Amino acid sequence: MTEILDESVRATLLGPLFDTGWEVERDGDVLVKTFTFADFTEAFAFMTRAALWAEKWDHHPDWSNVYKTVTVRLTTHDMGGITAADAKLARKMDQLAQ
Amino acid sequence: MTEILDESVRATLLGPLFDTGWEVERDGDVLVKTFTFADFTEAFAFMTRAALWAEKWDHHPDWSNVYKTVTVRLTTHDMGGITAADAKLARKMDQLAQ
């Protein structure tokens, strides 16, 4: 879960995430997506649900909220890049945002 | 609540906030503070409490969370600056963070 992904694993794990709007920024080491909701209550409800999973998995997002938008940045600080733990949390967030 | 503060009101309202660590950035139109907690659960608990007040008062922060820190930016977008509504939410956040 906490190793930097090699090329083939990376393509397999991240490909489906790119399809849902995730992007890789900053020399490939951060997975980023901005979620847009109907209003603040929906945005914060998403954050609350995601926070429980982040704490459960001990893997926390860097994220910001401006009214109805939530911008999420996922990386594994200890490894200096994207790992399977980031991909797992990204998938969960997509699911929670539906 | 939603008028830009004149100089004397501004000093009265913002003075006590400066004492608790709030600062004014970007040409004086945004009130900023970074809160640091024991861990993620404490940081997110603060955000949850603050979110309820923000929604109740229909005045929402721009904020970001990285593990145990929460950086809050308060401004009144419609007025292009800091109003009494920002000072009120700042005071509430100080209270909630205690």
Side-chain angles (χ1 to χ4, degrees), chain A residues 2-70:
Chain A
T2 55
E3 290 181 5
I4 297 292
L5 309 175
D6 71 28
E7 282 298 319
S8 65
V9 175
R10 187 179 173 103
T12 304
L13 277 180
L14 301 192
L17 292 172
F18 295 155
D19 293 340
T20 67
W22 289 90
E23 296 180 354
V24 166
E25 78 170 13
R26 209 192 304 166
D27 297 333
D29 59 8
V30 183
L31 203 51
V32 182
K33 182 173 177 179
T34 295
F35 294 87
T36 302
F37 300 90
D39 56 25
F40 176 76
T41 65
E42 292 296 324
F44 200 78
F46 163 76
M47 292 183 77
T48 304
R49 291 191 294 266
L52 297 178
W53 286 95
E55 182 63 18
K56 181 186 180 82
W57 289 340
D58 195 22
H59 191 66
H60 303 85
D62 296 356
W63 50 1
S64 59
N65 160 239
V66 179
Y67 195 55
K68 66 180 181 178
T69 68
V70 179

